[in-house]
Amino acid sequence: QVQLVESGGGLAQPGGSLRLSCAASGISVRTNVMGWFRQAQEKERELVATISSGGGTNSADFAKGRFTISRDNAQNTVHLQMNSLKPDDTAVYYCYAGYAGRNYWGKGTLVTVSS
């Protein structure tokens, strides 16, 4: 069974940083498309960033220059480093995996940016 477990969410001040982690099991983060999505209150889920099996990354415009997706192949874990956080970044962040033609999602971790 594919499982994605997020961690690292919490409260940050505007301008602060958080590092989210997604521990994957039943799937290799190295050989599959991995990513992060987020969903703010009363908004639709939106893509934050993805990383391909070749290591290439793609980010949403709001994330460019602030958020960095990476993976640790040895730990089979995907990370999202979030810097220069803004209140608009407040959302539930979900880990994503594309595997065998299916989409897999973690349960999400809440990020709140507030002073």
Side-chain angles (χ1 to χ4, degrees):
Q1 290 291 117
V2 174
Q3 291 191 77
L4 306 172
V5 181
E6 302 97 335
S7 62
L11 177 64
Q13 296 183 2
S17 298
L18 285 174
R19 191 190 193 207
L20 306 183
S21 297
C22 172
S25 60
I27 183 174
S28 170
V29 304
R30 183 182 66 84
T31 59
N32 296 280
V33 176
M34 305 294 298
W36 290 92
F37 287 68
R38 72 182 188 184
Q39 186 167 18
Q41 189 175 16
E42 298 185 353
K43 293 185 178 180
E44 294 186 353
R45 189 172 299 186
E46 62 182 347
L47 184 145
V48 178
T50 60
I51 184 167
S52 71
S53 61
T57 61
N58 190 26
S59 301
D61 286 342
F62 66 79
K64 288 184 170 67
R66 299 191 300 128
F67 297 177
T68 303
I69 188 171
S70 63
R71 68 187 183 207
D72 185 330
N73 295 336
Q75 296 292 323
N76 205 38
T77 300
V78 177
H79 302 282
L80 183 69
Q81 179 66 46
M82 303 188 295
N83 300 324
S84 302
L85 285 165
K86 306 174 181 179
D88 285 350
D89 295 321
T90 296
V92 177
Y93 285 71
Y94 297 91
C95 184
Y96 163 85
Y99 175 63
R102 295 187 177 185
N103 299 324
Y104 295 90
W105 301 94
K107 297 295 184 182
T109 184
L110 177 63
V111 170
T112 302
V113 183
S114 175
S115 60

